[in-house]
Amino acid sequence: MALSNRVRGEVALDVNGAPRTLCVTLGALAQLEAAFDVASIAELGQRLSTLTAGDLIVVLAALMENATPTEITASRIDPKAAALAVAEAFRLAFDDAA
């Protein structure tokens, strides 16, 4: 994986053989709340605790700048690496000890 700025909560993920950065931003959170029809960040956390493959595509698109679910679907991405990168991005964003 490429280098990322962990202080800013960035996590790198290999997409089509090139590094892309995932980051939990306020915009990404709002996008995910709307996509999953939840009313709060706490409810979003509960909803994200069990992701389907389709959910993972939506989350990746929200956490990657200028990405769409269609782009993510058409990309070569290791599912395990994607799930781990998403989990790490959220850990960095919300874990006080990160």
Side-chain angles (χ1 to χ4, degrees):
M1 277 193 193
L3 295 177
S4 55
N5 187 339
R6 296 180 64 77
V7 173
R8 289 190 349 208
E10 296 176 349
V11 177
L13 177 65
D14 182 31
V15 178
N16 293 325
R20 293 288 301 266
T21 301
L22 304 180
C23 188
V24 177
T25 64
L26 188 56
L29 290 172
Q31 206 176 340
L32 291 171
E33 285 175 345
F36 294 120
D37 194 28
V38 297
S40 68
I41 291 175
E43 196 176 329
L44 179 62
Q46 289 176 325
R47 174 64 179 80
L48 295 178
S49 66
T50 55
L51 290 178
T52 66
D55 294 342
L56 185 57
I57 289 168
V58 171
V59 173
L60 287 171
L63 300 187
M64 263 187 239
E65 191 173 347
N66 300 318
T68 65
T70 301
E71 175 191 352
I72 299 301
T73 300
S75 297
R76 285 180 292 115
I77 302 171
D78 178 272
K80 182 177 179 181
L84 291 172
V86 165
E88 181 66 1
F90 275 96
R91 186 189 71 75
L92 289 171
F94 292 105
D95 187 0
D96 292 337

